[in-house]
Amino acid sequence: MIRLFLLLVVLSVSAPAAAVEAFLAGPVPSGSLEVKLVPTEAATPGTLRLVTFGVPFPRGSITAAGLATLRVMKDGSEIPAHVRELTPWRHRLNPALDGTSVRVARVQIRYSFAGTAPETVTVSWGGAPRQNDVPSLEPVRNGWHTASSGSFIAADNVQEPDVLAVLPASWLSLGALRGSRNLPFDASNTEGRDNPATNAAIQHWSGHTEADRAMKNNFYASINQDDARVTAANQCRYKTEYEPWLYDRASTMFALYVRSGFAGALREAVRASDFYTDHVNTSGHFDMRNGDTKYVYAENLAYRYWLTGDDSALDRLAAIVSAHDGFNEAWTPSMGFWTERHVAYKLLANQVAYELLGGNHAARVGTIVSRLVSHQNGANGQIPQPAGYVDGGLYHFGSQHDGDWASGSLGASSWMSVLIVDAMLRAYSTSEDPAIADFVRRMGNFLRASTVLTAAHTYSNHAGALALPRYAMLWNGSNGQINDADVEHSLDVATGLAWAHYFAELLGQHDPRLAETAEDLYFTYDEGVNFWIRPNGPASGLPAYRTSPWRKFSWEHRVSGGMGWAMQATITVDPVFANGFD
């Protein structure tokens, strides 16, 4: 059955494809975008409102000087605008590419709505110069207000823009914000929550679009807009409990916006990021879980800054980066605590700081990357590699990983390793370092070996065996820890394998098992989506789109948006499918 599903969603070819799509989207030196301006309740019709937003560009599209051609038009007339570079494209290894083109431009206008409905303006560049330039930037938060409806009330003191500027998902998906590309939602996946009875009756969606549907529908559950009948006891307590924020809840909502272009996703992402920043203390820790750096994130700050132009988004950036300084990513056999998750968030925080600010963050990123590559290579001989050794994992002792496998045994976690892959992708976007490409490829070998085919899983709607990524695998391929609930990490691990497949092709080291195992794990996830839909739940006060635990929304969907693009960037799955589990 798994193979039948794969034949439906993967185009097979007679031989591995030689061409691989470039990691970064190509430059767009001239063009235009339709930007939808969505008024909130604070934008009174007939009154000029301050609107500030970011326009991201693929690398090499436009220079800072070239922004003189960026114009905002409405019905053929130019709207006076302040336009300046917000962030340049940086490059850690090639000075010729460092700072020479605009990554995000900040645009500020004043706009009056005829009514309460969204209206559209056109942003164009690369043509005639702007005639109505506004030289000075007005404080961005002059166009913000206190959220007082829906997910936050006035007492929460969460701030949001009066007007949301919504860019096309097709443009956002080119990857200028995240650093890596993804596929936008298909046109049939509209903004509203899907009918759970309808979705429960659809066993499989084409390609990888079932994950898109689940991302949207679980988003509504996570902000307590699944169904009005869901009781308070069964709602997500994101204002008072730390658990829903693990894996960066706000960034996951931004990821939904980037792939969908949904105004509601953008609004909730900005709100969540503002709430999160309000709860980051001066030491850089999330005050609901003070001292625990696996709750310390910089990524959502960058998205808020780039999409709204809000300078205050970066107020806690330095503290967040420094909060990770106490964790030593350079593994040794004698050190204490060490996990892939903690080093992933340290690398991600430093990489985001480099993208935003440049400077000495480049050296910090380079150091962390080189230490991870060294670890994968055996940590300067500290990790023996006898016969039977499975290459690719960042092996460490169970005693260093909270005892999640035998204390004296070297092992690694599959799904935590995907968090490192995700951070490495961002580091690759501003370096194109072949060492990172090979690191991700080799990590795919570990993730493939970590995956087993078993009937011991929690999806009772599927009677047969499913691909399952073991929580932990030892250096020789044996079990470190395996649980029937490990199927809940099938989507994130599939995504890590998809990127390993991409880089294997990019490096000319074709390994069809990577793509095959990725698709097998996606099939597991596909089965799981139906398992978690409960159409009759609201009648009993329960969400129809179950998300348990609440952090699963983020562990699945923050890292997985690029899976579809990575799998289609080159078609390399052989026409006869071999077993991906050997």
Side-chain angles (χ1 to χ4, degrees):
M1 184 175 179
I2 292 177
R3 296 302 172 196
L4 176 60
F5 176 69
L6 288 177
L7 287 167
L8 292 174
V9 300
V10 178
L11 175 65
S12 62
V13 293
S14 58
V20 181
E21 208 168 336
F23 183 83
L24 295 176
V28 184
S30 63
S32 64
L33 297 173
E34 297 298 302
V35 178
K36 184 168 65 173
L37 302 181
V38 181
T40 67
E41 57 274 16
T44 307
T47 304
L48 284 172
R49 310 302 300 188
L50 186 68
V51 182
T52 311
F53 59 97
V55 179
F57 290 95
R59 192 180 70 190
S61 295
I62 192 168
T63 64
L67 289 177
T69 67
L70 193 150
R71 307 170 75 198
V72 183
M73 310 293 291
K74 178 67 175 179
D75 298 329
S77 298
E78 183 179 318
I79 298 174
H82 173 87
V83 182
R84 298 293 186 274
E85 180 180 72
L86 189 62
T87 304
W89 273 100
R90 305 187 195 279
H91 204 285
R92 199 161 46 81
L93 302 180
N94 187 346
L97 295 173
D98 186 31
T100 56
S101 68
V102 175
R103 183 170 184 172
V104 181
R106 177 160 53 189
V107 178
Q108 187 176 79
I109 62 173
R110 286 193 168 273
Y111 192 86
S112 176
F113 290 89
T116 58
E119 299 181 14
T120 300
V121 297
T122 302
V123 173
S124 64
W125 65 95
R130 185 170 57 258
Q131 298 300 309
N132 296 313
D133 183 64
V134 177
S136 299
L137 178 75
E138 188 172 339
V140 172
R141 290 221 168 185
N142 285 358
W144 288 46
H145 65 277
T146 301
S148 58
S149 63
S151 56
F152 291 96
I153 60 174
D156 299 320
N157 197 34
V158 168
Q159 308 300 305
E160 65 176 349
D162 298 345
V163 178
L164 299 165
V166 178
L167 278 65
S170 57
W171 182 255
L172 295 169
S173 293
L174 294 177
L177 297 176
R178 184 165 174 77
S180 54
R181 294 200 258 177
N182 53 64
L183 300 180
F185 284 7
D186 68 82
S188 69
N189 193 356
T190 54
E191 185 160 359
R193 170 184 173 273
D194 292 335
N195 184 319
T198 300
N199 282 22
I202 301 173
Q203 189 62 35
H204 302 297
W205 299 72
S206 63
H208 305 105
T209 58
E210 186 149 9
D212 303 347
R213 296 281 176 164
M215 185 183 196
K216 177 187 72 174
N217 293 316
N218 291 343
F219 160 74
Y220 285 114
S222 74
I223 59 172
N224 299 325
Q225 293 180 16
D226 177 85
D227 191 289
R229 295 170 291 173
V230 176
T231 61
N234 296 311
Q235 291 182 343
C236 181
R237 300 182 181 91
Y238 55 84
K239 297 181 189 179
T240 57
E241 296 181 1
Y242 59 81
E243 183 270 331
W245 295 92
L246 189 56
Y247 306 105
D248 199 347
R249 173 184 173 91
S251 284
T252 308
M253 294 179 182
F254 279 119
L256 173 60
Y257 166 65
V258 164
R259 298 197 59 218
S260 68
F262 296 158
L266 175 59
R267 186 176 194 178
E268 293 300 333
V270 171
R271 287 178 167 196
S273 180
D274 193 71
F275 179 90
Y276 176 80
T277 306
D278 285 348
H279 285 270
V280 173
N281 57 34
T282 55
S283 67
H285 291 96
F286 185 49
D287 64 13
M288 291 187 186
R289 188 69 170 170
N290 195 25
D292 191 344
T293 57
K294 67 177 181 283
Y295 285 85
V296 177
Y297 316 118
E299 190 176 25
N300 72 83
L301 278 60
Y303 296 142
R304 189 170 104 229
Y305 178 62
W306 286 332
L307 289 167
T308 71
D310 176 26
D311 296 287
S312 69
L314 306 188
D315 286 351
R316 286 285 188 258
L317 178 62
I320 284 172
V321 174
S322 65
H324 288 282
D325 287 347
F327 178 81
N328 183 7
E329 72 277 2
W331 179 85
T332 67
S334 60
M335 72 189 308
F337 181 78
W338 195 97
T339 75
E340 299 93 338
R341 177 165 53 190
H342 285 73
V343 71
Y345 288 137
K346 179 175 183 177
L347 172 57
L348 190 57
N350 280 275
Q351 170 63 26
V352 167
Y354 169 62
E355 293 174 27
L356 291 166
L357 305 175
N360 63 359
H361 296 290
R364 294 170 67 125
V365 170
T367 296
I368 298 171
V369 167
S370 65
R371 286 173 172 173
L372 290 173
V373 171
S374 174
H375 189 163
Q376 191 180 54
N377 289 338
N380 297 316
Q382 297 177 97
I383 299 175
Q385 299 184 16
Y389 179 84
V390 178
D391 182 61
L394 300 181
Y395 298 112
H396 50 292
F397 291 112
S399 57
Q400 297 170 323
H401 200 108
D402 283 339
D404 285 339
W405 56 88
S407 294
S409 296
L410 287 168
S413 168
S414 61
W415 59 264
M416 285 195 192
S417 295
V418 176
L419 298 174
I420 292 184
V421 169
D422 177 72
M424 284 291 220
L425 291 175
R426 284 203 84 109
Y428 184 81
S429 72
T430 56
S431 67
E432 295 162 290
D433 184 351
I436 294 177
D438 197 51
F439 177 95
V440 175
R441 178 194 67 82
R442 291 171 61 193
M443 184 63 76
N445 183 68
F446 164 76
L447 296 175
R448 180 193 61 78
S450 298
T451 303
V452 295
L453 196 62
T454 177
H457 56 76
T458 54
Y459 294 157
S460 57
N461 59 319
H462 184 91
L466 289 171
L468 175 147
R470 289 175 285 176
Y471 178 97
M473 186 189 79
L474 302 186
W475 63 271
N476 60 1
S478 60
N479 291 340
Q481 183 184 145
I482 183 170
N483 312 285
D484 56 5
D486 289 341
V487 286
E488 299 300 341
H489 283 285
S490 54
L491 180 61
D492 41 324
V493 176
T495 301
L497 278 156
W499 283 112
H501 155 70
Y502 171 80
F503 282 112
E505 301 306 313
L506 189 70
L507 297 170
Q509 300 193 44
H510 177 61
D511 184 349
R513 298 173 301 174
L514 298 173
E516 292 160 10
T517 309
E519 291 292 359
D520 285 341
L521 283 169
Y522 183 81
F523 180 84
T524 298
Y525 170 76
D526 184 291
E527 290 287 286
V529 171
N530 291 76
F531 172 79
W532 285 100
I533 300 175
R534 179 173 47 196
N536 297 323
S540 302
L542 302 166
Y545 289 104
R546 296 185 292 166
T547 306
S548 180
W550 289 110
R551 63 184 180 273
K552 188 173 81 165
F553 170 64
S554 298
W555 89 47
E556 286 187 330
H557 296 295
R558 187 186 68 82
V559 302
S560 63
M563 179 183 178
W565 185 87
M567 292 296 287
Q568 72 143 37
T570 176
I571 303 298
T572 59
V573 179
D574 293 331
V576 178
F577 289 92
N579 192 313
F581 303 105
D582 55 0

